[in-house]
Amino acid sequence: MFSYTVEPLYFQSHQEIIAADFYRPKSIKLPAVIVMAHDLAAERSFGLAAFAKRFAQAGYAVVCFDYRGFGGSTGRPRGLVSIQQQLQDWESVLLQLQKRRDINTRKMVLWGTSLSGGHVLTLAPKDKCVQAVIAQIPYVDGQESLKLYPKKYLTKVSSIVAKDFMSKQLGLEPQTIAVVAESGIRCLASPDSYRGYLSIVPQHIERVVEIPARIMFSLARYRPIQDVRKISIPVFLLGATQDQLIPIEATRLCATNLAPFAQYHEFPIEHFDVYHGQWFEKNIQLQINFLHQQIGVES
């Protein structure tokens, strides 16, 4: 087990500053680096440190960053979830990391969860420095996930989304939708989402309660599964059979389309269980084993 340091890093992404934490094993001259970012409307402080610490102890550097508009990063309006901008933030961070001399820039790993799991699958074929991908419970097909959204809310949600697009065009304040709520219209509407999402938010953090509604349209159209056949590097893929946000059938199809490059695992869990207890422990050990097999640690 390696000791490690943690220091802040900052990256330019278009007109914004992206804040990150840099975990670095002390006794490795040029460690491989894992680049991490979180799910929809989540910050790096929402449970990602537990993963980053274990990776650093295993001998890997980690850069864990917040998207613009979230956490320590700049960006207005706060809480805007834009798939296009998030992918730009990933690309900006990766490009600037490739200029560093204290990491092995030929051994970069993309790590994502849920929505960012979809992002890393989308980005994997585009960067030759990326040598492996970890995608846990990834958002792979918006059309399939839309089928799980409560139909009784669709008309109202569509109306709010249309108003939000109009507000954007007119330069007005966004029309928002709750990230989670115990009932009613919200972005994450599965029965376990309210409890699960709050379970990863530190008590001292003031989370983003509502986000611009336009993301609901973008999510329905986002289909990373269409890009996975272009991937020719190792991919760790984790599915959750009781997930009510991401259909397990879509994850299984993604694994099939990734063959022979996917190392696929399934847990009998709901969407947020992977952050806690025995399922976190089992998951992180599988991920570290995958990294040792595919990347390795050089002292």
Side-chain angles (χ1 to χ4, degrees), residues 155 184 212 258:
T155 300
L258 276 165

Side-chain angles (χ1 to χ4, degrees), residues 81-204:
V81 180
S82 165
I83 290 172
Q84 178 184 5
Q85 290 182 2
Q86 290 187 352
L87 290 172
Q88 289 173 350
D89 292 345
W90 273 97
E91 291 169 345
S92 296
V93 170
L94 291 173
L95 182 63
Q96 290 165 73
L97 281 176
Q98 289 170 22
K99 300 175 183 178
R100 293 185 69 95
R101 297 183 178 180
D102 56 350
I103 55 176
N104 189 337
T105 56
R106 294 174 297 174
K107 289 188 175 182
M108 302 183 76
V109 179
L110 305 184
W111 186 101
T113 183
S114 196
L115 183 57
S116 66
H119 293 344
V120 297
L121 293 172
T122 299
L123 292 163
K126 300 179 181 180
D127 195 322
K128 294 181 180 179
C129 291
V130 175
Q131 296 299 304
V133 173
I134 296 176
Q136 65 176 33
I137 49 173
Y139 190 89
V140 294
D141 193 333
Q143 292 186 9
E144 294 302 312
S145 287
L146 181 62
K147 295 176 182 178
L148 298 182
Y149 195 84
K151 292 180 174 58
K152 62 183 178 179
Y153 298 135
L154 287 176
T155 300
K156 181 63 174 177
V157 168
S158 297
S159 176
I160 299 172
V161 170
K163 291 178 181 178
D164 188 38
F165 275 115
M166 183 62 70
S167 296
K168 178 184 177 183
Q169 294 299 320
L170 297 175
L172 303 176
E173 288 296 310
Q175 298 290 308
T176 60
I177 184 172
V179 177
V180 291
E182 292 186 83
S183 60
I185 296 171
R186 65 272 198 201
C187 188
L188 305 179
S190 68
D192 66 305
S193 287
Y194 181 74
R195 170 183 52 81
Y197 179 81
L198 293 183
S199 74
I200 66 172
V201 180
Q203 291 185 353
H204 66 283

Side-chain angles (χ1 to χ4, degrees), residues 18-287:
I18 301 300
D21 294 318
F22 179 39
Y23 298 73
R24 193 183 188 288
K26 288 183 178 180
S27 58
I28 299 178
K29 184 177 180 180
L30 290 175
V33 60
I34 302 166
V35 186
M36 308 176 65
H38 218 318
D39 188 13
L40 180 146
E43 303 172 8
R44 69 189 194 274
S45 62
F46 293 11
L48 293 195
F51 289 90
K53 290 175 182 178
R54 295 288 283 272
F55 291 143
Q57 290 172 343
Y60 300 92
V62 180
V63 173
C64 186
F65 71 92
D66 283 327
Y67 298 114
R68 70 184 80 172
F70 287 90
S73 298
T74 65
R76 296 284 178 182
R78 301 301 291 177
L80 172 63
V81 180
S82 165
I83 290 172
Q84 178 184 5
Q85 290 182 2
Q86 290 187 352
L87 290 172
Q88 289 173 350
D89 292 345
W90 273 97
E91 291 169 345
S92 296
V93 170
L94 291 173
L95 182 63
Q96 290 165 73
L97 281 176
Q98 289 170 22
K99 300 175 183 178
R100 293 185 69 95
R101 297 183 178 180
D102 56 350
I103 55 176
N104 189 337
T105 56
R106 294 174 297 174
K107 289 188 175 182
M108 302 183 76
V109 179
L110 305 184
W111 186 101
T113 183
S114 196
L115 183 57
S116 66
H119 293 344
V120 297
L121 293 172
T122 299
L123 292 163
K126 300 179 181 180
D127 195 322
K128 294 181 180 179
C129 291
V130 175
Q131 296 299 304
V133 173
I134 296 176
Q136 65 176 33
I137 49 173
Y139 190 89
V140 294
D141 193 333
Q143 292 186 9
E144 294 302 312
S145 287
L146 181 62
K147 295 176 182 178
L148 298 182
Y149 195 84
K151 292 180 174 58
K152 62 183 178 179
Y153 298 135
L154 287 176
T155 300
K156 181 63 174 177
V157 168
S158 297
S159 176
I160 299 172
V161 170
K163 291 178 181 178
D164 188 38
F165 275 115
M166 183 62 70
S167 296
K168 178 184 177 183
Q169 294 299 320
L170 297 175
L172 303 176
E173 288 296 310
Q175 298 290 308
T176 60
I177 184 172
V179 177
V180 291
E182 292 186 83
S183 60
I185 296 171
R186 65 272 198 201
C187 188
L188 305 179
S190 68
D192 66 305
S193 287
Y194 181 74
R195 170 183 52 81
Y197 179 81
L198 293 183
S199 74
I200 66 172
V201 180
Q203 291 185 353
H204 66 283
I205 296 292
E206 184 177 352
R207 66 183 177 90
V208 175
V209 178
E210 295 195 348
I211 57 178
R214 68 197 74 160
I215 186 56
M216 299 298 286
F217 176 77
S218 300
L219 287 173
R221 293 165 56 89
Y222 191 39
R223 305 188 70 199
I225 195 170
Q226 295 179 320
D227 295 308
V228 299
R229 290 189 185 276
K230 304 173 187 175
I231 296 175
S232 56
I233 56 175
V235 177
F236 175 97
L237 190 65
L238 175 66
T241 61
Q242 298 176 32
D243 196 327
Q244 297 180 68
L245 293 172
I246 300 169
I248 190 61
E249 293 80 10
T251 310
R252 289 169 178 166
L253 179 59
C254 183
T256 299
N257 291 349
L258 276 165
F261 300 103
Q263 184 183 118
Y264 181 57
H265 302 273
E266 282 186 2
F267 290 172
I269 60 173
E270 297 179 337
H271 190 77
F272 293 94
D273 292 340
V274 75
Y275 296 94
H276 306 293
Q278 63 171 323
W279 297 113
F280 168 80
E281 291 297 333
K282 184 174 182 179
N283 179 34
I284 193 65
Q285 193 57 59
L286 286 171
Q287 293 185 15

